[in-house]
Amino acid sequence: MNDDVNLLYTDVETALRESVSDLLTARCSPEKVIAVFDGDREIQPKLWRSLALDLGLAGLLVPEERGGAGASAREAAVVLEELGRFAAPVPFLTSSVIASAALLHAGDDRLLATVASGERTAAVVVPFSTAPNDLRPTVRADGQGALNGRVTSVAGALEADVLLVPVAAQDGVELHAVEAGAASVTPVVSMDMTRQLADVDLDAAPGTRVVEAGGDTAVRGALELGAALIASEQLGVAQWCLDTTVSYLRERTQFGRSVGGFQAIKHRLADLYVTTESARAAARYAAATAADEDSDRHVAALMAKSYCSEAAVRAAEECVQLHGGIGMTWEHPAHLYLKRAKADQIALGNPQAARRQLGELVDLPMPPAGSTA
């Protein structure tokens, strides 16, 4: 671990957080997010347009000389904390983080500029559960360069204007750009409908080769950045659950006193506070090492993905339970955060896989894959 990494929030990051929070407070109420689960998706394009264009988040990670805002992973992490805190249904992670990082690695400035400007939205066509070291392209190109294949459970594909498709080629993995209209994108029932997954079918779809052999390096690098930064979204989920639960337990009375005053409840909240603050340290370290391209960033990403995944789920479960009956109802927003936490838990590699990789790095014997131990 690099002791020189600064985990504190800078003034710039605090100002960015306030801007994002103010906009989400005005336009992303829990009622509007719940409506997304009921099939009302009107909020999504309007909200994303405001974030992408008014606040310039579409190109946050893209250098200024290549058409973006020139911010680092630290600022993107702060944005994701707020998006997690509101369970916001926008494609920032899939387009502005993962797809933009893939295009940056690939060196495609033309397409990158359109994504950075917010003019277009992009998505990398891999199953959302794909860990950075587990990329296995199933799409192939025929003799004329047309793409054929099927990729299931892709995040961001429904909102995307352009699909970035890893293609298995004779000399390695290529990365192709396909107009979304040239593919069949079928929504699937997802636990978290604010980030709905879709199956992508390519049937002789015309594509443009973004990078030849070596595309796997671009995609793996993008997925690793995504895995490092999704920890900040999970931190935002955990923070909302903690804050909302504490507020509720202060107001809710039983037997003539505040429910939060009972010692057993205090202990649970104290444990949850420690869990959330520990998640903050892990997420901030992953974002900071990614921003600095520190040599410890690979380990930091695995640590953050492993710890924050389970911290968010635990916070959401405690939130639902400590809210008693109302936590189980459709009208209360607690279920939004439980679903986001559970979906994020297995996104970009699950915690068990991350711990296995960490164990391998230090030659620690690990149980066989698939073992429950």
Side-chain angles (χ1 to χ4, degrees):
M1 183 172 177
N2 187 343
D3 295 332
D4 295 330
V5 173
N6 181 10
L7 302 185
L8 301 178
Y9 296 102
T10 66
D11 292 342
V12 171
E13 291 165 6
T14 300
L16 176 61
R17 177 196 302 281
E18 291 174 353
S19 297
V20 176
S21 179
D22 288 347
L23 191 150
L24 293 175
T25 300
R27 304 188 186 183
C28 187
S29 66
E31 292 76 17
K32 289 183 177 178
V33 179
I34 289 173
V36 173
F37 279 76
D38 288 327
D40 181 359
R41 298 192 166 273
E42 186 178 349
I43 179 182
Q44 292 175 293
K46 293 180 180 177
L47 180 60
W48 175 236
R49 185 172 180 81
S50 296
L51 289 166
L53 301 181
D54 297 349
L55 297 187
L57 299 188
L60 190 68
L61 284 171
V62 179
E64 292 183 61
E65 63 273 19
R66 299 173 76 174
S72 74
R74 292 178 60 106
E75 287 78 25
V78 170
V79 172
L80 282 164
E81 281 185 38
E82 291 306 300
L83 296 178
R85 215 162 58 81
F86 285 81
V90 294
F92 179 77
L93 176 69
T94 52
S95 181
S96 301
V97 174
I98 298 176
S100 292
L103 291 172
L104 278 168
H105 282 289
D108 188 314
D109 283 1
R110 182 190 58 81
L111 184 53
L112 179 64
T114 64
V115 174
S117 68
E119 177 186 343
R120 311 188 82 195
T121 303
V124 176
V125 181
V126 297
F128 197 37
S129 59
T130 303
N133 69 336
D134 196 29
L135 178 65
R136 299 175 185 176
T138 55
V139 176
R140 297 183 181 278
D142 63 21
Q144 286 69 47
L147 305 184
N148 296 278
R150 177 181 175 85
V151 185
T152 60
S153 301
V154 179
L158 283 173
E159 301 87 356
D161 301 300
V162 60
L163 303 170
L164 302 178
V165 185
V167 175
Q170 189 171 7
D171 298 330
V173 177
E174 299 176 347
L175 186 63
H176 291 237
V178 176
E179 293 295 320
S184 174
V185 181
T186 307
V188 298
V189 177
S190 311
M191 174 174 286
D192 178 14
M193 296 295 282
T194 61
R195 183 178 284 142
Q196 190 171 8
L197 306 180
D199 295 340
V200 177
D201 289 282
L202 301 165
D203 183 10
T208 303
R209 186 183 289 113
V210 175
V211 62
E212 298 186 9
D216 53 337
T217 302
V219 175
R220 286 189 176 115
L223 295 179
E224 182 174 273
L225 180 63
L229 294 186
I230 200 174
S232 292
E233 181 177 282
Q234 292 165 326
L235 167 62
V237 169
Q239 188 68 62
W240 183 91
C241 292
L242 175 62
D243 293 344
T244 304
T245 304
V246 169
S247 177
Y248 173 74
L249 294 177
R250 279 177 174 160
E251 298 175 0
R252 174 71 171 163
T253 59
Q254 191 65 270
F255 307 116
R257 59 183 292 192
S258 167
V259 172
F262 291 98
Q263 195 67 26
I265 299 296
K266 287 182 178 178
H267 285 166
R268 288 174 67 168
L269 292 175
D271 287 344
L272 192 55
Y273 174 79
V274 172
T275 298
T276 303
E277 289 306 305
S278 298
R280 187 185 313 282
R284 293 291 294 166
Y285 186 68
T289 53
D292 296 341
E293 296 189 355
D294 189 284
S295 59
D296 203 33
R297 65 185 183 280
H298 308 294
V299 171
L302 292 170
M303 289 172 53
K305 185 67 182 69
S306 171
Y307 188 85
C308 295
S309 291
E310 297 185 343
V313 171
R314 182 187 170 198
E317 289 176 342
E318 286 284 76
C319 178
V320 170
Q321 190 173 103
L322 292 174
H323 272 78
I326 65 169
M328 298 298 293
T329 61
W330 185 258
E331 290 76 14
H332 195 279
H335 70 92
L336 299 176
Y337 294 86
L338 180 59
K339 290 165 183 168
R340 174 63 67 92
K342 293 294 289 184
D344 279 1
Q345 186 181 32
I346 57 174
L348 302 166
N350 60 44
Q352 294 80 10
R355 286 194 287 271
R356 179 175 302 283
Q357 290 181 60
L358 284 170
E360 291 170 356
L361 289 174
V362 294
D363 295 327
L364 181 68
M366 301 295 290
S371 169
T372 57

